[in-house]
Amino acid sequence: MHVLVTGGAGYIGSHTCLSLLESGMDVTVIDNFCNSSPEALQRVQSLTGRSIRVIEADVRDAEALETVFSGPRIDAVIHFAGLKAVGESVAKPMLYYDNNVAGTFTLLQAMQRANVSTLVFSSSATVYGDPAPEHLPLKETAPCGITHSPYATSKWTVERCLADLHAAQPEWRIARLRYFNPVGAHSSGRIGENPSGTPNNLMPFVSQVACGARPKLSIFGDDYPTHDGTGVRDYIHVMDLAEGHVATLKYLASHPQGELLTLNLGTGQGCSVLDVVKTFETASGRPVPYEIVPRRPGDVPAYYADPSQAQKLLHWRATRSLRDMCADTWRWQAANPQGYDHR
Ligand code: NAD
Ligand code: WQD
């Protein structure tokens, strides 16, 4: 199978490219490198000993897509390319709708012209909004769409459009994968998450504190109705997530009559901010100083997945522990304190 991976140089994309290559698939990447480095793909190629066709272009560029699809036959597309900073999306909604929604439309039109109708779309648990406690753990049937940011709305909009497309053309094979909180890195320590500037997310912030690049972590609230008062999330190792994409492609390939899949990719385990901090300290052997500060506006107290549907259909499950997630993040952080920018 030859897979086109949009946004393949990014955090989840680079780990997924590695899994795809290791499972014998061929890979073409299209990425504009707005939030990534080509170095990630160099490292994936050296880790796997296999080559990737890399095209530097924007998914909103219809001509560039035409060129990609007129090359070697593409069997399936995994669409990671998009912007993901929730706060930035509030400040720049048009940028997010253009990149995430219009970008997906341009891609879908190019796929249609090229007669490629197998798509895996990166959605997010953010489509569940602020879930009521009785909906935990979250099943795919939980209420969706009451979104709290343009980022979340962009994911929900694309999910709805894909359902409409499948209803009109049921021969399409589409998976809408709702990721929970991806963290960790490949166990080699050669590829990992490479945030630019101050990290928005917990795990990269914790690892930068552990290595001394930042003095302390601010924990956003310790008065939530959770086991220790701090926010609870379903952290999933990025390699488990990557393997979930390979399993999804295999599932879609075995459904030639068409399919619309909607699946949670999570572990089913809720971990608090303090659980992450303590596990990271143990895994790294470094202290992670922190202070409790007020809640971050828009934060949800707790959410975690019911991943049973993905387990049943894909014969896939997340196997790596929180300890593995922290140890692998630390290995990557310690070996690459400046990310890909400084070798
Ligand atoms: P990332 O920013 O590391 O990767 C995204 C990649 O897409 C980058 O390489 C970027 O350069 C590229 N890109 C962005 N806009 C582009 C465009 N218009 N044309 C071509 N390339 C473009 O992010 P990630 O964490 O790897 O996330 C991948 C996908 O998964 C995103 O769609 C994101 O919304 C979704 N997602 C991420 C998380 C998370 O917490 N990381 C959770 C749920 C869903
Ligand atoms: C996790 C927990 C914070 C930073 C975001 C997006 C979501 C998805 C995943 C893409 C929360 C706490 C964090 C810090 C802290 N992305 N925290 N101090 O908010 O669950 O989800 O990333 O789809 O859409 O919203 O992830 O890593 O930011 O926060 O205390 O410096 O850590 O309050 O409880 P979140 P996160």
Side-chain angles (χ1 to χ4, degrees), residues 196-209:
S196 57
T198 308
N200 294 312
N201 298 114
L202 178 65
M203 189 65 92
F205 205 106
V206 166
S207 71
Q208 292 190 8
V209 173

Side-chain angles (χ1 to χ4, degrees), residues 10-12 31-32 34-36 58-59 80 84 99 151 155:
Y11 173 44
I12 307 172
D31 201 303
N32 65 2
C34 68
N35 195 36
S36 58
D58 196 296
V59 288
F80 293 110
K84 62 167 181 178
N99 240 286
Y151 170 72
K155 291 293 174 191

Side-chain angles (χ1 to χ4, degrees), residues 207-224:
S207 71
Q208 292 190 8
V209 173
C211 81
R214 298 184 187 275
K216 60 175 181 259
L217 169 73
S218 295
I219 295 186
F220 302 138
D222 67 350
D223 56 353
Y224 285 111

